[in-house]
Amino acid sequence: MQNPKTVIKKEQRKSLFILMIMAIYSLLFGTAIVIGLSRGNPQMASNAGWIMIGIGILSVVLYISARRRPTRYNEPPS
C-alpha cells in the first residue's frame, strides 16, 4: 500500500500542472480569438476572447497562490 502522504503530494502536483496547462490554453486561444478571429461577428468573438483571457488570468493567479500556500498534509498527525 502506498504512503498517503506521497499520494497526496503527487495528486496535488498533478492538479496544479493541469491548472497551469488550462491557464496557458485559455490565454493563448483567448488572445487568438480577440486578435484574429473576430471578423465575422466581432462583438461576440471579442467577448468570448476576453472571457477566455480572464479565465486564464484567474487560473494563473490560483496556480501561484496554491504553489505558495503550505500544505497541511506535511504535518505529522497529532
Side-chain angles (χ1 to χ4, degrees):
M1 186 169 162
Q2 294 179 347
N3 186 359
K5 289 182 182 180
T6 58
V7 171
I8 289 172
K9 285 181 185 179
K10 288 180 184 178
E11 289 299 319
Q12 183 181 19
R13 288 182 185 162
K14 288 179 189 176
S15 298
L16 289 176
F17 183 66
I18 292 170
L19 179 66
M20 192 59 183
I21 288 173
M22 292 308 297
I24 292 169
Y25 170 83
S26 182
L27 285 170
L28 288 177
F29 281 103
T31 304
I33 289 171
V34 168
I35 292 173
L37 301 176
S38 61
R39 295 179 190 161
N41 189 352
Q43 187 66 29
M44 183 183 284
S46 179
N47 289 341
W50 286 114
I51 288 171
M52 287 187 74
I53 290 172
I55 290 171
I57 291 171
L58 179 65
S59 297
V60 169
V61 169
L62 289 174
Y63 174 80
I64 291 170
S65 69
R67 292 292 291 180
R68 291 186 180 198
R69 184 179 319 142
T71 59
R72 299 184 70 152
Y73 302 109
N74 293 339
E75 301 171 357
S78 53

